[in-house]
Amino acid sequence: MKSKRPAIPYLGWMLVFTIVPLLMVLYYAFTDDNGAFTLNNFVNVADYSHIFLYSLYVALISTLICLVLAYPLSYSISRCSERKQRVIIMFLMVPMWMNFLLRVYSWVLILQSYGPLDTILQFFGIHVKLIGNTGAIVVGMVYEFLPFMILPLHAVMSKIDGSLIEAAQDLGCNAFYVFRKVIFPLSVPGIISGVTMVFVPTASTFLVAQYLGGDRLMIGDVIERVFQFNHNTGSAIAVVLMVVILGFLVCMNRFGDKEAVGK
């Protein structure tokens, strides 16, 4: 029988840095300032329902854009030689070595009024507000989380046997049917993983909207601000967000299971 001792440090880490904080959030969410049980904190969450919907909307749009951009790019990379694949993936990951906040602030400098992009557009007579709107938030989200869509897609697509594609072509399938009957079905696990890895953080992240969205805030920003003066309401908002994300994960897992059994 294998020893379970190597798992002890991992279990200890999970207990201290995951389970205990989660229990604390649940405790504050269901209690008032005096420690008495209450559900009033969840009643207060209704005041932020519009921000919840807005956050889910931005997360959905950002995830779809990441999928549209990452899918053909991941497939193109997977068809390269292994050496080229490693080099391309390395260059895609280089921005991730930089601090998250610095990457967001770089877009502030790019999109700000009289910034480099605004100056170029004004030179061609195009006057448009590039920052302080939903579009700027989506741009920041896509930039931050696009690699999290590319990596799982590439990992799955690189394992697609090229002989299956050749066999489909030999049987008379054109490019569209090769994609529909071979490439897409085999890449579904990567799509599910990528969508999950992008949607979850984009729905809950903060700072991106604070720097790029002007007066627009996402639910992660609200949780941060509410926590500063009311731990109980902030915890209740966090619990609701966790439930929403958990529901999304369950749906994605069920979809993946159906695809796996060919239903």
Side-chain angles (χ1 to χ4, degrees):
M1 183 176 179
K2 294 183 178 180
S3 175
K4 296 183 179 180
R5 290 183 178 179
I8 293 178
Y10 172 75
L11 294 176
W13 177 276
M14 289 289 294
L15 177 64
V16 174
F17 295 102
T18 302
I19 305 300
V20 172
L22 179 59
L23 292 177
M24 292 177 63
V25 169
L26 291 173
Y27 169 78
Y28 281 115
F30 289 96
T31 58
D32 57 19
D33 294 335
N34 298 319
F37 176 81
T38 181
L39 294 177
N40 289 334
N41 298 320
F42 292 93
V43 175
N44 297 332
V45 174
D47 296 335
Y48 305 99
S49 59
H50 62 290
I51 301 180
F52 262 107
L53 295 176
Y54 179 73
S55 300
L56 295 177
Y57 167 75
V58 171
L60 179 61
I61 296 299
S62 302
T63 302
L64 290 176
I65 293 176
C66 284
L67 179 59
V68 171
L69 294 176
Y71 196 95
L73 179 59
S74 300
Y75 180 74
S76 298
I77 296 173
S78 67
R79 298 301 97 185
C80 297
S81 64
E82 291 187 7
R83 183 174 178 274
K84 288 184 178 180
Q85 290 185 45
R86 289 194 295 267
V87 172
I88 295 173
I89 292 297
M90 183 190 70
F91 277 111
L92 289 173
M93 294 303 298
V94 165
M96 305 300 294
W97 300 350
M98 190 185 303
N99 181 270
F100 179 90
L101 182 58
L102 291 178
R103 297 200 304 272
V104 173
Y105 195 71
S106 66
W107 276 103
V108 175
L109 299 177
I110 294 173
L111 299 176
Q112 66 182 349
S113 298
Y114 303 105
L117 185 56
D118 185 52
T119 302
I120 294 174
L121 292 177
Q122 289 191 27
F123 177 79
F124 290 100
I126 302 174
H127 301 278
V128 61
K129 187 178 181 181
L130 299 175
I131 198 169
N133 50 46
T134 301
I137 298 176
V138 171
V139 168
M141 292 291 189
V142 171
Y143 172 74
E144 293 287 354
F145 298 106
L146 182 60
F148 294 96
M149 183 70 76
I150 294 176
L151 292 179
L153 279 172
H154 169 261
V156 171
M157 290 181 172
S158 61
K159 296 178 182 178
I160 296 178
D161 191 347
S163 61
L164 296 176
I165 299 176
E166 294 176 358
Q169 293 172 339
D170 292 340
L171 292 172
C173 290
N174 56 28
F176 174 76
Y177 280 99
V178 169
F179 170 78
R180 179 183 174 186
K181 298 293 185 179
V182 180
I183 298 174
F184 180 77
L186 294 177
S187 64
V188 167
I191 295 174
I192 294 174
S193 297
V195 168
T196 302
M197 292 178 66
V198 173
F199 182 85
V200 172
T202 52
S204 58
T205 192
F206 64 104
L207 291 179
V208 176
Q210 292 184 31
Y211 281 86
L212 297 175
D215 58 351
R216 292 171 175 80
L217 295 177
M218 296 185 65
I219 198 63
D221 305 297
V222 171
I223 293 174
E224 180 202 18
R225 296 189 177 187
V226 173
F227 253 104
Q228 295 177 6
F229 62 87
N230 191 326
H231 294 321
N232 304 98
T233 301
S235 297
I237 299 173
V239 169
V240 173
L241 179 61
M242 285 189 291
V243 171
V244 172
I245 291 176
L246 181 61
F248 172 79
L249 294 177
V250 170
C251 292
M252 292 301 297
N253 287 334
R254 287 188 176 181
F255 177 76
D257 293 340
K258 289 182 180 180
E259 290 293 330
V261 298
K263 293 183 178 180

